[in-house]
Amino acid sequence: MTQQKQFFPRQVIEAGGNRWDWALLPLVLAVIFALAYGASQMTRPYQVGMALPLSLDPSVLPYYLLRTTLRMFMALGCSLLFSCVFAVLAAKYRAAERVLVPLLDILQSIPILGFLSITVTGFIALFPGNLFGVECAAIFAIFTSQAWNMAFSLYQSFRTVPAELGEAARVFQMSGWQRFWRLELPFAMPPLLWNMMMSMSGGWFFVVASEAISVSHQNIKLPGIGSYIALAIEARDLSAIGWAICAMLVGVLLYDQLFFRPLLAWADRFRFEEMGGDTAQRSWLLMWLRRTDRFQSMTGWMGQQLERSFAWFRLRHDGTSIRARPREGSAGLARLWDAVIAGGVMLAIWQLFTFIHGEVGWAEVGHVFVLGCYTMLRVSILITLAALVWVPVGVWIGMHPHVASKVQAVAQFLAAFPANLMFPVAVMVLVHFHLNPHIWLSPLMILGTQWYLLFNVIAGAASVPSELRLAAQNLGLTGWLKWRRYYLPAVFPSFVTGAITASGGSWNASIVSEYVTWGDTTLQAAGIGSYIAHMTAVGDFPRIALGIGVMCVFVMGMNHLVWRRLYRIANDRMHF
């Protein structure tokens, strides 16, 4: 009776809730109304070629902000589901890991324009006569800018669960379902939330390409902040760009206060040690929710259902049973799986050679590889410079959680700031001072992707156990010795995760950073990004495929030769 009263308090139902329930009721109703209205606008009748009404009037920005934010949260939900499935399969099954991790490298290296050029027609065909097909294409494009970072973060966390916690799970005879909910996901929660924030902000970086779809001479602009920015760039309207920046700032502050800050404050319970009052994250909304009877009843009911699922998926044997012994993989099945993978690779190589010989020619392949080398040089230099700047900053912020709570919204806004809004300044400065675009367009590539490093380093530093911090203080570590023996090993796994996604993001950002337009002025830097952007604009699909394929080769090569080796070092030598 006590538990039933806790989960479903009858006096609350009869009385209609306490004063906190009534205080939050307007906010809940406003969110529900906004979601319902935005969803209804996403399913309006639409035919290909129909011009959607767009305006640079600042009064339409709240509506555009609602449409863009709704698309980004739908993509974020899909990204979270994808990340959980990917991380579980890749971390628990060696055979799946050998396929899924390289596949994620390939997907990460495919630029957003490549996804749009392939998927937009298919999504429109799925929903004929309805705008939801184009909306799905935009949501999928935003998904591709969010999912890979979250998947790598969750995979890295699952691989680095402390051995003593894994042993405790075996002692308590947890099933795979119980281990996921009670150990792995809680352990991965703090860095996952920081990477969700980074993914949300990364979606803003590509929101222009997602909402202002321009593929094969088809121009579709969905109502949203991204299409508003694209229209302002075409009209060379600096005041409209200023209004777009203000609208973005309002949107970031709203979802920071209403979504991410409560989640981060709630996730403090999943840290190794109790958080002190001065260092714990705080959220006014979470405090309100904890005082509401309706919310407590709802969360209690959800917890009860989760507990019931543990009984459904429990182990059917105890630790002494022969079924409790780990199963050894069959050597024959392993060799068969290797043969299937090798056969798939050989088939892909044969198809690639056939495509090159029949569609583009080997001279074009050599030219694109040279362009890829230019972009790779830019990416390598920019990632190195970003690491030198943001690793010390991220360590300092992560070691001071009260500082992290203050800079959280600022960091999200800076990470959400689209590089497209810097195009007017970049074009005017380069034209006025006659600067070389091959050099001075390069910083635009790192504007959005450098934050992957910062957010992951913050998450890694924030998750360092307090015992380790006290040990470093007692040993009197200072200067470079403190960095070499304490700070860098503590954040190195998170840094590698951030560097992988920052590197892949920089390759993607090269498409909008090496081919910059402002009105009728276009600046172009030699690189594979500008090659893909130009071929996408003219609708040359064989060369689009060639550019995407070569970019995949470069990204996978860097991941395999550099980042994966660092990743193994992080797992083997720098794991607490």
Side-chain angles (χ1 to χ4, degrees):
M1 291 296 294
T2 303
Q3 186 178 15
Q4 184 178 3
K5 184 177 180 180
Q6 178 182 358
F7 288 147
F8 302 101
R10 181 173 300 175
Q11 68 272 21
V12 171
I13 298 176
E14 293 176 353
N18 59 20
R19 66 180 185 274
W20 296 104
D21 290 287
W22 290 103
L24 282 176
L25 183 60
L27 177 61
V28 173
L29 292 178
V31 171
I32 293 175
F33 173 78
L35 293 178
Y37 178 72
S40 65
Q41 295 298 307
M42 295 174 66
T43 56
R44 296 170 55 189
Y46 174 79
Q47 297 294 334
V48 177
M50 180 188 300
L52 296 171
L54 294 176
S55 172
L56 290 180
D57 188 347
S59 63
V60 301
L61 281 173
Y63 170 65
Y64 287 178
L65 178 63
L66 172 64
R67 295 286 295 273
T68 297
T69 306
L70 187 57
R71 293 184 192 109
M72 295 179 70
F73 271 102
M74 293 176 69
L76 188 69
C78 296
S79 299
L80 182 60
L81 179 61
F82 169 83
S83 300
C84 290
V85 174
F86 169 85
V88 168
L89 293 177
K92 294 181 179 294
Y93 302 100
R94 176 62 178 169
E97 181 185 32
R98 297 179 64 183
V99 176
L100 292 178
V101 174
L103 179 62
L104 195 62
D105 287 338
I106 295 174
L107 293 174
Q108 180 187 223
S109 60
I110 297 177
I112 189 171
L113 291 181
F115 284 112
L116 279 175
S117 62
I118 296 172
T119 60
V120 64
T121 305
F123 279 118
I124 292 176
L126 283 177
F127 302 94
N130 197 295
L131 187 61
F132 193 64
V134 185
E135 292 282 357
C136 286
I139 292 170
F140 181 76
I142 298 173
F143 165 86
T144 62
S145 67
Q146 295 178 344
W148 323 138
N149 174 53
M150 293 168 57
F152 272 125
S153 170
L154 206 56
Y155 167 70
Q156 185 257 341
S157 296
F158 284 5
R159 288 292 302 272
T160 56
V161 172
E164 59 271 19
L165 295 182
E167 184 63 29
R170 286 188 290 271
V171 170
F172 288 111
Q173 301 173 22
M174 289 186 181
S175 64
W177 180 255
Q178 294 171 330
R179 182 185 174 99
F180 174 80
W181 286 105
R182 286 182 167 172
L183 172 59
E184 293 166 340
L185 190 60
F187 174 78
M189 188 61 68
L192 175 63
L193 287 178
W194 279 98
N195 279 279
M196 286 174 62
M197 289 192 298
M198 181 62 243
S199 295
M200 191 71 172
S201 299
W204 283 103
F205 187 81
F206 292 105
V207 73
V208 175
S210 304
E211 295 179 349
I213 303 173
S214 179
V215 177
S216 186
H217 303 290
Q218 290 188 12
N219 295 310
I220 305 174
K221 288 184 173 64
L222 293 170
I225 299 295
S227 57
Y228 185 93
I229 294 172
L231 195 61
I233 291 175
E234 293 176 4
R236 306 183 71 163
D237 191 336
L238 289 175
S239 63
I241 290 180
W243 283 112
I245 293 174
C246 293
M248 285 179 52
L249 177 60
V250 171
V252 171
L253 289 175
L254 283 176
Y255 67 66
D256 172 70
Q257 292 294 317
L258 300 179
F259 186 75
F260 285 116
R261 191 173 295 271
L263 283 178
L264 282 174
W266 168 77
D268 279 339
R269 67 174 64 189
F270 300 122
R271 296 171 64 93
F272 279 118
E273 69 281 343
E274 292 293 329
M275 299 287 292
D278 295 333
T279 59
Q281 292 266 8
R282 290 186 176 90
S283 167
W284 61 269
L285 181 59
L286 184 62
M287 289 190 296
W288 281 23
L289 290 173
R290 284 172 174 170
R291 294 171 180 173
T292 61
D293 292 326
R294 294 288 187 183
F295 179 76
Q296 294 300 319
S297 300
M298 182 181 66
T299 55
W301 180 82
M302 293 173 61
Q304 189 181 45
Q305 302 312 306
L306 184 60
E307 289 291 337
R308 289 179 178 176
S309 72
F310 293 157
W312 298 337
F313 296 101
R314 68 180 185 273
L315 293 179
R316 303 298 178 181
H317 54 77
D318 58 24
T320 61
S321 171
I322 192 173
R323 290 186 294 171
R325 299 176 184 176
R327 297 180 180 179
E328 296 182 0
S330 172
L333 289 177
R335 285 193 293 268
L336 177 61
W337 182 244
D338 292 340
V340 171
I341 296 176
V345 172
M346 295 300 294
L347 178 61
I349 293 176
W350 172 255
Q351 293 291 336
L352 177 63
F353 273 83
T354 304
F355 167 77
I356 292 174
H357 181 74
E359 297 290 343
V360 295
W362 293 101
E364 186 73 7
V365 174
H367 171 64
V368 175
F369 263 96
V370 172
L371 296 178
C373 291
Y374 293 153
T375 302
M376 183 178 67
L377 180 62
R378 295 189 182 100
V379 170
S380 302
I381 294 175
L382 292 171
I383 292 295
T384 302
L385 294 177
L388 293 176
V389 173
W390 293 117
V391 169
V393 175
V395 168
W396 181 76
I397 294 175
M399 293 293 179
H400 301 82
H402 62 284
V403 177
S405 63
K406 292 181 174 62
V407 303
Q408 176 180 320
V410 177
Q412 286 188 77
F413 175 71
L414 293 176
F417 196 86
N420 310 70
L421 298 181
M422 295 300 298
F423 290 176
V425 177
V427 171
M428 288 187 291
V429 170
L430 266 64
V431 171
H432 180 74
F433 292 100
H434 304 286
L435 300 177
N436 188 347
H438 301 288
I439 298 175
W440 296 104
L441 284 179
S442 300
L444 296 177
M445 294 171 57
I446 202 66
L447 281 180
T449 58
Q450 61 184 333
W451 310 109
Y452 289 110
L453 286 172
L454 176 63
F455 277 59
N456 278 276
V457 171
I458 290 175
S463 61
V464 174
S466 59
E467 294 85 355
L468 189 61
R469 306 186 189 195
L470 295 175
Q473 293 176 2
N474 293 335
L475 293 174
L477 297 180
T478 58
W480 173 242
L481 180 63
K482 188 174 185 178
W483 277 95
R484 187 164 58 92
R485 295 296 186 185
Y486 172 36
Y487 286 151
L488 293 181
V491 303
F492 190 72
S494 298
F495 164 76
V496 174
T497 300
I500 291 175
T501 50
S503 176
S506 296
W507 283 93
N508 274 284
S510 67
I511 295 176
V512 296
S513 303
E514 293 179 348
Y515 191 85
V516 177
T517 60
W518 172 241
D520 55 356
T521 303
T522 300
L523 296 179
Q524 186 172 351
I528 196 170
S530 60
Y531 179 88
I532 295 174
H534 176 69
M535 295 304 168
T536 301
V538 300
D540 192 337
F541 287 100
R543 283 170 173 76
I544 294 174
L546 174 63
I548 293 173
V550 172
M551 183 178 285
C552 290
V553 170
F554 274 97
V555 174
M556 291 187 64
M558 290 186 66
N559 287 348
H560 180 73
L561 298 176
V562 179
W563 303 121
R564 293 298 169 204
R565 295 187 178 185
L566 294 178
Y567 198 80
R568 286 193 291 269
I569 293 175
N571 287 339
D572 297 339
R573 304 181 185 179
M574 299 186 179
H575 175 52
F576 296 105

